[in-house]
PDB file of all heavy atoms in Angstrom:
ATOM      1  N   PHE A 205      25.670  32.011  30.215  1.00 88.00           N
ATOM      2  CA  PHE A 205      26.867  32.836  30.370  1.00 88.00           C
ATOM      3  C   PHE A 205      26.501  34.214  30.915  1.00 88.00           C
ATOM      4  O   PHE A 205      27.178  34.759  31.812  1.00 88.00           O
ATOM      5  CB  PHE A 205      27.577  32.963  29.027  1.00 88.00           C
ATOM      6  CG  PHE A 205      28.844  33.775  29.072  1.00 88.00           C
ATOM      7  CD1 PHE A 205      29.915  33.364  29.852  1.00 88.00           C
ATOM      8  CD2 PHE A 205      28.965  34.955  28.339  1.00 88.00           C
ATOM      9  CE1 PHE A 205      31.093  34.120  29.904  1.00 88.00           C
ATOM     10  CE2 PHE A 205      30.124  35.707  28.383  1.00 88.00           C
ATOM     11  CZ  PHE A 205      31.195  35.284  29.170  1.00 88.00           C
ATOM     12  N   ASN A 209      27.446  35.963  34.553  1.00 87.00           N
ATOM     13  CA  ASN A 209      28.025  37.308  34.661  1.00 87.00           C
ATOM     14  C   ASN A 209      27.173  38.231  35.529  1.00 87.00           C
ATOM     15  O   ASN A 209      27.703  39.101  36.247  1.00 87.00           O
ATOM     16  CB  ASN A 209      28.181  37.924  33.270  1.00 87.00           C
ATOM     17  CG  ASN A 209      29.344  37.322  32.502  1.00 87.00           C
ATOM     18  OD1 ASN A 209      30.139  36.562  33.070  1.00 87.00           O
ATOM     19  ND2 ASN A 209      29.453  37.623  31.229  1.00 87.00           N
ATOM     20  N   TRP A 217      35.692  38.129  36.619  1.00 74.00           N
ATOM     21  CA  TRP A 217      36.408  38.770  35.518  1.00 74.00           C
ATOM     22  C   TRP A 217      37.111  40.070  35.900  1.00 74.00           C
ATOM     23  O   TRP A 217      38.250  40.310  35.479  1.00 74.00           O
ATOM     24  CB  TRP A 217      35.433  39.050  34.364  1.00 74.00           C
ATOM     25  CG  TRP A 217      34.618  37.871  33.935  1.00 74.00           C
ATOM     26  CD1 TRP A 217      33.284  37.732  34.024  1.00 74.00           C
ATOM     27  CD2 TRP A 217      35.105  36.659  33.341  1.00 74.00           C
ATOM     28  NE1 TRP A 217      32.884  36.516  33.542  1.00 74.00           N
ATOM     29  CE2 TRP A 217      33.994  35.831  33.102  1.00 74.00           C
ATOM     30  CE3 TRP A 217      36.386  36.203  33.008  1.00 74.00           C
ATOM     31  CZ2 TRP A 217      34.110  34.579  32.551  1.00 74.00           C
ATOM     32  CZ3 TRP A 217      36.508  34.947  32.438  1.00 74.00           C
ATOM     33  CH2 TRP A 217      35.386  34.143  32.222  1.00 74.00           C
ATOM     34  N   VAL A 222      39.366  41.708  33.026  1.00 70.00           N
ATOM     35  CA  VAL A 222      38.550  41.393  31.854  1.00 70.00           C
ATOM     36  C   VAL A 222      37.246  42.185  31.917  1.00 70.00           C
ATOM     37  O   VAL A 222      36.553  42.170  32.935  1.00 70.00           O
ATOM     38  CB  VAL A 222      38.231  39.880  31.793  1.00 70.00           C
ATOM     39  CG1 VAL A 222      37.320  39.587  30.595  1.00 70.00           C
ATOM     40  CG2 VAL A 222      39.518  39.071  31.702  1.00 70.00           C
ATOM     41  N   VAL A 223      36.915  42.904  30.819  1.00 71.00           N
ATOM     42  CA  VAL A 223      35.658  43.640  30.743  1.00 71.00           C
ATOM     43  C   VAL A 223      34.557  42.653  30.360  1.00 71.00           C
ATOM     44  O   VAL A 223      34.634  41.980  29.342  1.00 71.00           O
ATOM     45  CB  VAL A 223      35.737  44.768  29.692  1.00 71.00           C
ATOM     46  CG1 VAL A 223      34.392  45.477  29.585  1.00 71.00           C
ATOM     47  CG2 VAL A 223      36.842  45.747  30.054  1.00 71.00           C
ATOM     48  N   TRP A 224      33.530  42.551  31.206  1.00 74.00           N
ATOM     49  CA  TRP A 224      32.468  41.566  30.946  1.00 74.00           C
ATOM     50  C   TRP A 224      31.144  42.238  30.611  1.00 74.00           C
ATOM     51  O   TRP A 224      30.892  43.379  30.973  1.00 74.00           O
ATOM     52  CB  TRP A 224      32.303  40.614  32.148  1.00 74.00           C
ATOM     53  CG  TRP A 224      31.932  41.310  33.438  1.00 74.00           C
ATOM     54  CD1 TRP A 224      32.779  41.800  34.376  1.00 74.00           C
ATOM     55  CD2 TRP A 224      30.607  41.581  33.910  1.00 74.00           C
ATOM     56  NE1 TRP A 224      32.090  42.370  35.421  1.00 74.00           N
ATOM     57  CE2 TRP A 224      30.742  42.236  35.165  1.00 74.00           C
ATOM     58  CE3 TRP A 224      29.318  41.337  33.439  1.00 74.00           C
ATOM     59  CZ2 TRP A 224      29.645  42.646  35.922  1.00 74.00           C
ATOM     60  CZ3 TRP A 224      28.215  41.743  34.180  1.00 74.00           C
ATOM     61  CH2 TRP A 224      28.394  42.384  35.416  1.00 74.00           C
ATOM     62  N   HIS A 225      30.305  41.483  29.888  1.00 77.00           N
ATOM     63  CA  HIS A 225      28.991  41.971  29.468  1.00 77.00           C
ATOM     64  C   HIS A 225      27.977  40.839  29.623  1.00 77.00           C
ATOM     65  O   HIS A 225      28.327  39.674  29.784  1.00 77.00           O
ATOM     66  CB  HIS A 225      29.009  42.419  27.999  1.00 77.00           C
ATOM     67  CG  HIS A 225      29.984  43.506  27.717  1.00 77.00           C
ATOM     68  ND1 HIS A 225      29.731  44.833  27.981  1.00 77.00           N
ATOM     69  CD2 HIS A 225      31.239  43.458  27.182  1.00 77.00           C
ATOM     70  CE1 HIS A 225      30.781  45.565  27.624  1.00 77.00           C
ATOM     71  NE2 HIS A 225      31.713  44.754  27.136  1.00 77.00           N
ATOM     72  N   TYR A 227      24.479  39.084  27.638  1.00 84.00           N
ATOM     73  CA  TYR A 227      23.992  38.941  26.256  1.00 84.00           C
ATOM     74  C   TYR A 227      22.551  38.419  26.230  1.00 84.00           C
ATOM     75  O   TYR A 227      22.185  37.621  25.376  1.00 84.00           O
ATOM     76  CB  TYR A 227      24.910  38.001  25.476  1.00 84.00           C
ATOM     77  CG  TYR A 227      26.345  38.468  25.461  1.00 84.00           C
ATOM     78  CD1 TYR A 227      27.261  38.010  26.407  1.00 84.00           C
ATOM     79  CD2 TYR A 227      26.782  39.403  24.520  1.00 84.00           C
ATOM     80  CE1 TYR A 227      28.572  38.447  26.409  1.00 84.00           C
ATOM     81  CE2 TYR A 227      28.098  39.854  24.523  1.00 84.00           C
ATOM     82  CZ  TYR A 227      28.992  39.379  25.471  1.00 84.00           C
ATOM     83  OH  TYR A 227      30.297  39.831  25.468  1.00 84.00           O
ATOM     84  N   ASN A 410      41.960  34.151  28.711  1.00 79.00           N
ATOM     85  CA  ASN A 410      40.715  34.468  29.424  1.00 79.00           C
ATOM     86  C   ASN A 410      40.134  35.822  29.044  1.00 79.00           C
ATOM     87  O   ASN A 410      38.930  36.055  29.147  1.00 79.00           O
ATOM     88  CB  ASN A 410      40.940  34.420  30.934  1.00 79.00           C
ATOM     89  CG  ASN A 410      41.126  32.997  31.427  1.00 79.00           C
ATOM     90  OD1 ASN A 410      40.691  32.053  30.778  1.00 79.00           O
ATOM     91  ND2 ASN A 410      41.792  32.837  32.566  1.00 79.00           N
ATOM     92  N   THR A 411      41.001  36.730  28.607  1.00 80.00           N
ATOM     93  CA  THR A 411      40.530  38.063  28.220  1.00 80.00           C
ATOM     94  C   THR A 411      39.514  37.975  27.088  1.00 80.00           C
ATOM     95  O   THR A 411      38.574  38.769  27.006  1.00 80.00           O
ATOM     96  CB  THR A 411      41.722  38.932  27.782  1.00 80.00           C
ATOM     97  OG1 THR A 411      42.677  38.982  28.837  1.00 80.00           O
ATOM     98  CG2 THR A 411      41.259  40.338  27.421  1.00 80.00           C
ATOM     99  N   TYR A 412      39.691  37.000  26.212  1.00 84.00           N
ATOM    100  CA  TYR A 412      38.821  36.855  25.043  1.00 84.00           C
ATOM    101  C   TYR A 412      37.751  35.780  25.230  1.00 84.00           C
ATOM    102  O   TYR A 412      37.110  35.369  24.257  1.00 84.00           O
ATOM    103  CB  TYR A 412      39.655  36.529  23.798  1.00 84.00           C
ATOM    104  CG  TYR A 412      40.342  37.728  23.205  1.00 84.00           C
ATOM    105  CD1 TYR A 412      41.579  38.148  23.678  1.00 84.00           C
ATOM    106  CD2 TYR A 412      39.736  38.468  22.190  1.00 84.00           C
ATOM    107  CE1 TYR A 412      42.206  39.262  23.147  1.00 84.00           C
ATOM    108  CE2 TYR A 412      40.354  39.590  21.648  1.00 84.00           C
ATOM    109  CZ  TYR A 412      41.603  39.982  22.141  1.00 84.00           C
ATOM    110  OH  TYR A 412      42.208  41.089  21.612  1.00 84.00           O
ATOM    111  N   LEU A 413      37.552  35.308  26.459  1.00 84.00           N
ATOM    112  CA  LEU A 413      36.547  34.273  26.697  1.00 84.00           C
ATOM    113  C   LEU A 413      35.139  34.727  26.298  1.00 84.00           C
ATOM    114  O   LEU A 413      34.415  33.972  25.640  1.00 84.00           O
ATOM    115  CB  LEU A 413      36.572  33.830  28.164  1.00 84.00           C
ATOM    116  CG  LEU A 413      35.651  32.652  28.505  1.00 84.00           C
ATOM    117  CD1 LEU A 413      35.996  31.428  27.683  1.00 84.00           C
ATOM    118  CD2 LEU A 413      35.728  32.329  30.000  1.00 84.00           C
ATOM    119  N   PRO A 414      34.693  35.947  26.686  1.00 83.00           N
ATOM    120  CA  PRO A 414      33.369  36.398  26.214  1.00 83.00           C
ATOM    121  C   PRO A 414      33.263  36.423  24.689  1.00 83.00           C
ATOM    122  O   PRO A 414      32.244  36.029  24.119  1.00 83.00           O
ATOM    123  CB  PRO A 414      33.235  37.798  26.809  1.00 83.00           C
ATOM    124  CG  PRO A 414      34.134  37.781  28.009  1.00 83.00           C
ATOM    125  CD  PRO A 414      35.299  36.941  27.607  1.00 83.00           C
ATOM    126  N   GLN A 415      34.344  36.901  24.044  1.00 86.00           N
ATOM    127  CA  GLN A 415      34.361  36.941  22.572  1.00 86.00           C
ATOM    128  C   GLN A 415      34.275  35.525  22.001  1.00 86.00           C
ATOM    129  O   GLN A 415      33.569  35.273  21.015  1.00 86.00           O
ATOM    130  CB  GLN A 415      35.643  37.616  22.090  1.00 86.00           C
ATOM    131  CG  GLN A 415      35.830  37.650  20.576  1.00 86.00           C
ATOM    132  CD  GLN A 415      34.866  38.582  19.880  1.00 86.00           C
ATOM    133  OE1 GLN A 415      34.600  39.658  20.379  1.00 86.00           O
ATOM    134  NE2 GLN A 415      34.337  38.165  18.739  1.00 86.00           N
ATOM    135  N   ALA A 416      34.976  34.593  22.628  1.00 89.00           N
ATOM    136  CA  ALA A 416      34.970  33.201  22.176  1.00 89.00           C
ATOM    137  C   ALA A 416      33.572  32.603  22.245  1.00 89.00           C
ATOM    138  O   ALA A 416      33.112  31.924  21.325  1.00 89.00           O
ATOM    139  CB  ALA A 416      35.945  32.378  23.018  1.00 89.00           C
ATOM    140  N   ILE A 417      32.883  32.871  23.354  1.00 88.00           N
ATOM    141  CA  ILE A 417      31.529  32.328  23.540  1.00 88.00           C
ATOM    142  C   ILE A 417      30.557  32.921  22.532  1.00 88.00           C
ATOM    143  O   ILE A 417      29.773  32.199  21.898  1.00 88.00           O
ATOM    144  CB  ILE A 417      31.049  32.574  24.982  1.00 88.00           C
ATOM    145  CG1 ILE A 417      31.883  31.736  25.961  1.00 88.00           C
ATOM    146  CG2 ILE A 417      29.566  32.251  25.124  1.00 88.00           C
ATOM    147  CD1 ILE A 417      31.582  31.997  27.412  1.00 88.00           C
ATOM    148  N   MET A 418      30.589  34.226  22.354  1.00 86.00           N
ATOM    149  CA  MET A 418      29.658  34.869  21.439  1.00 86.00           C
ATOM    150  C   MET A 418      29.930  34.492  19.976  1.00 86.00           C
ATOM    151  O   MET A 418      29.010  34.373  19.169  1.00 86.00           O
ATOM    152  CB  MET A 418      29.700  36.388  21.604  1.00 86.00           C
ATOM    153  CG  MET A 418      29.024  36.887  22.874  1.00 86.00           C
ATOM    154  SD  MET A 418      27.262  36.436  22.966  1.00 86.00           S
ATOM    155  CE  MET A 418      27.340  35.049  24.141  1.00 86.00           C
ATOM    156  N   SER A 419      31.189  34.281  19.634  1.00 90.00           N
ATOM    157  CA  SER A 419      31.521  33.834  18.266  1.00 90.00           C
ATOM    158  C   SER A 419      30.974  32.441  18.012  1.00 90.00           C
ATOM    159  O   SER A 419      30.420  32.160  16.938  1.00 90.00           O
ATOM    160  CB  SER A 419      33.041  33.845  18.065  1.00 90.00           C
ATOM    161  OG  SER A 419      33.558  35.156  18.180  1.00 90.00           O
TER     162      SER A 419
END
Side-chain angles (χ1 to χ4, degrees):
F205 181 62
N209 285 351
W217 309 115
V222 177
V223 177
W224 60 270
H225 301 279
Y227 303 94
N410 288 337
T411 304
Y412 282 86
L413 186 59
Q415 176 70 40
I417 292 175
M418 286 300 103
S419 297

